[in-house]
Amino acid sequence: EKITISVIKADIGGWPGHSRVHPQLVETAEEVLAKAQEEGTIIDFYVATCGDDLQLIMTHKKGVDSSEIHGLAWRTFEEATKVAKELGLYGAGQDLLKDAFSGNVRGMGPGVAEMEITLRKSEPIVTFHMDKTEPGAFNLPIFRMFADPFNTAGLVIDPNMHMGFRFEVWDIKEHKRVILNTPEEIYDLLALIGAKSRYVIKRVFPKEGHKIAKDEPVAVISTEKLYEIAGEYVGKDDPVAIVRAQSGLPALGEVLEPFAFPHLVSGWMRGSHNGPIMPVPMHQANPTRFDGPPRVVALGWQISPEGKLVGPVDLFDDPAFDGARQKAVEIAEYMRRHGPFEPHRLPMEDMEYTTLPGVLEKLKDRFEPVE
Ligand code: F6R
Ligand code: MG
Ligand code: MG
């Protein structure tokens, strides 16, 4: 029998500004989900936070894209929005872009990562939660987990994963997707996903011959782009991901290893700057400096045979990641010195959906031809 793990998140108000989630929003979400658990809609849940994003982690048997589960998430965000409005929190309800729920939260503002899986004898998973960045921020770490032998020793020395994996990549501008096999097509894959604002890894699958069935995802990432829904900048698309680990998949430590390098991602202040992503425990996921730098939280879980979430273990709450945090602070300082200059500020194409065009509009008539 299959279990579905759904991570559905939204920014429905910050405290203060865009920095963190107020504890009363977490309590409200817990109340709504506890009731749904009592009624049997979901098996288990946990409400996490990362920066100003409220994160609903749920297990159930309704499959992916279930209108019942998405409706529950939407209702939870609506209830928490009421509290956010009472408290006067900043941007209350900002990610609920539509007035009424219409069967699926995709395209309505919240971010979604879900996978329906056949539980293995033991099922270790990690949920990742990022704030102040976009879905493409997962390209580099997911590639390294499942395709880079310098990150994942198992790709070389474990016969159960030596055959490699399949990557589903979405072109989020053209709304198309392609599946690429690794290691054979690593260069093709990198040609796409290096352009992380356009091509994003949506899912990773095993190959034929793996212990896990070929059509069951082993990793899934949220790819919602808010500006595509709202038509303008309404906050970044702070993504989430679910990754299964161990036993023919990257070991827990191979899943976390890419984050020892705080790579540059776009987002940060006004969703308009490149900066390092800092791996932090949940209690440190409260962006402050220049509304950042961007953060990533990793929560570790075992799924029990009945589908209970045994956890979370706050995986970056570990001095082994102090070096990455320190490096992120140094890179943040270096990038900040560029002020409004690229490549700290994003290139022009990526500024199209921000507030910059409004500024440029004013100058339009003052341009004159040059000989
Ligand atoms: C980044 C983010 C913040 C805001 C910034 C300005 O994703 O949400 O950096 O863009 O604080 O916010 P407003 O325009 O609401 O004052
Ligand atoms: Mg916000
Ligand atoms: Mg956010």
Side-chain angles (χ1 to χ4, degrees):
E1 198 178 22
K2 293 192 172 190
I3 295 282
T4 304
I5 304 150
S6 299
V7 181
I8 307 185
K9 49 77 51 181
D11 174 351
I12 43 141
W15 175 57
H18 290 280
S19 102
R20 70 171 76 184
V21 176
H22 192 283
Q24 280 187 41
L25 303 194
V26 176
E27 282 163 32
T28 306
E30 283 169 348
E31 281 163 23
V32 179
L33 295 183
K35 194 147 166 285
Q37 185 181 24
E38 258 166 52
E39 291 165 353
T41 313
I42 50 176
I43 301 169
D44 203 1
F45 71 90
Y46 184 80
V47 180
T49 63
C50 183
D52 54 5
D53 293 295
L54 188 62
Q55 317 264 343
L56 315 179
I57 303 161
M58 299 171 283
T59 53
H60 55 91
K61 292 190 178 170
K62 322 252 173 200
V64 301
D65 281 332
S66 151
S67 60
E68 210 179 331
I69 300 301
H70 285 216
L72 170 63
W74 187 262
R75 247 187 8 262
T76 308
F77 294 137
E78 279 184 333
E79 287 305 313
T81 295
K82 283 184 202 157
V83 179
K85 286 186 172 156
E86 273 163 33
L87 295 172
L89 298 184
Y90 195 69
Q94 75 159 45
D95 283 0
L96 305 185
L97 301 177
K98 303 279 157 83
D99 292 332
F101 177 70
S102 60
N104 191 309
V105 291
R106 282 192 291 119
M108 298 188 72
V112 190
E114 301 184 285
M115 55 164 73
E116 186 178 34
I117 61 174
T118 312
L119 291 182
R120 296 173 287 167
K121 200 167 74 200
S122 174
E123 190 65 56
I125 67 161
V126 180
T127 58
F128 286 100
H129 311 267
M130 289 182 175
D131 187 41
K132 302 292 181 278
T133 185
E134 60 172 12
F138 274 112
N139 282 5
L140 185 150
I142 296 284
F143 175 84
R144 298 200 67 193
M145 288 171 210
F146 289 94
D148 179 2
F150 281 74
N151 180 88
T152 297
L155 291 167
V156 178
I157 63 182
D158 180 354
N160 291 314
M161 61 192 299
H162 196 80
M163 71 287 265
F165 292 92
R166 297 183 302 134
F167 285 71
E168 177 185 332
V169 176
W170 285 15
D171 174 343
I172 49 185
K173 292 225 165 79
E174 298 268 319
H175 302 280
K176 288 180 179 163
R177 64 173 146 191
V178 60
I179 302 223
L180 291 169
N181 296 304
T182 59
E184 313 87 280
E185 297 179 299
I186 272 185
Y187 299 158
D188 299 295
L189 177 62
L190 288 170
L192 298 179
I193 64 172
K196 62 186 171 35
S197 63
R198 169 141 184 197
Y199 297 98
V200 297
I201 300 171
K202 178 64 188 176
R203 275 180 276 262
V204 181
F205 294 96
K207 276 185 175 167
E208 197 70 63
H210 194 279
K211 287 197 273 187
I212 297 174
K214 184 167 170 270
D215 58 350
E216 263 199 22
V218 291
V220 59
I221 298 98
S222 68
T223 49
E224 281 70 25
K225 281 279 204 178
L226 292 185
Y227 72 77
E228 294 206 341
I229 307 162
E232 61 179 1
Y233 184 70
V234 283
K236 264 293 176 198
D237 325 295
D238 308 329
V240 289
I242 308 172
V243 178
R244 301 167 78 181
Q246 305 286 157
S247 188
L249 298 178
L252 182 73
E254 290 166 337
V255 169
L256 301 177
E257 179 66 8
F259 296 95
F261 168 60
H263 64 292
L264 292 174
V265 299
S266 60
W268 205 350
M269 175 57 78
R270 297 174 187 276
S272 305
H273 293 81
N274 286 310
I277 189 146
M278 185 189 261
V280 287
M282 215 161 55
H283 73 271
Q284 289 181 350
N286 312 303
T288 52
R289 185 173 179 194
F290 202 53
D291 285 1
R295 308 290 157 116
V296 56
V297 165
L299 300 180
W301 313 87
Q302 290 290 147
I303 311 291
S304 83
E306 316 84 88
K308 290 263 185 193
L309 286 162
V310 182
V313 178
D314 201 343
L315 294 163
F316 291 141
D317 195 359
D318 179 346
F321 285 92
D322 283 351
R325 290 187 273 269
Q326 188 49 43
K327 179 68 80 187
V329 171
E330 283 163 31
I331 299 168
E333 178 61 28
Y334 174 84
M335 296 301 282
R336 279 303 301 127
R337 296 281 189 98
H338 295 81
F341 284 79
E342 297 176 6
H344 180 27
R345 200 182 76 184
L346 297 187
M348 232 31 198
E349 313 88 85
D350 294 335
M351 300 294 288
E352 203 180 320
Y353 298 98
T354 69
T355 46
L356 184 69
V359 176
L360 299 181
E361 181 63 26
K362 258 190 351 198
L363 292 175
K364 210 179 65 194
D365 297 332
R366 294 184 45 194
F367 278 91
E368 46 187 60
V370 259
E371 291 312 308

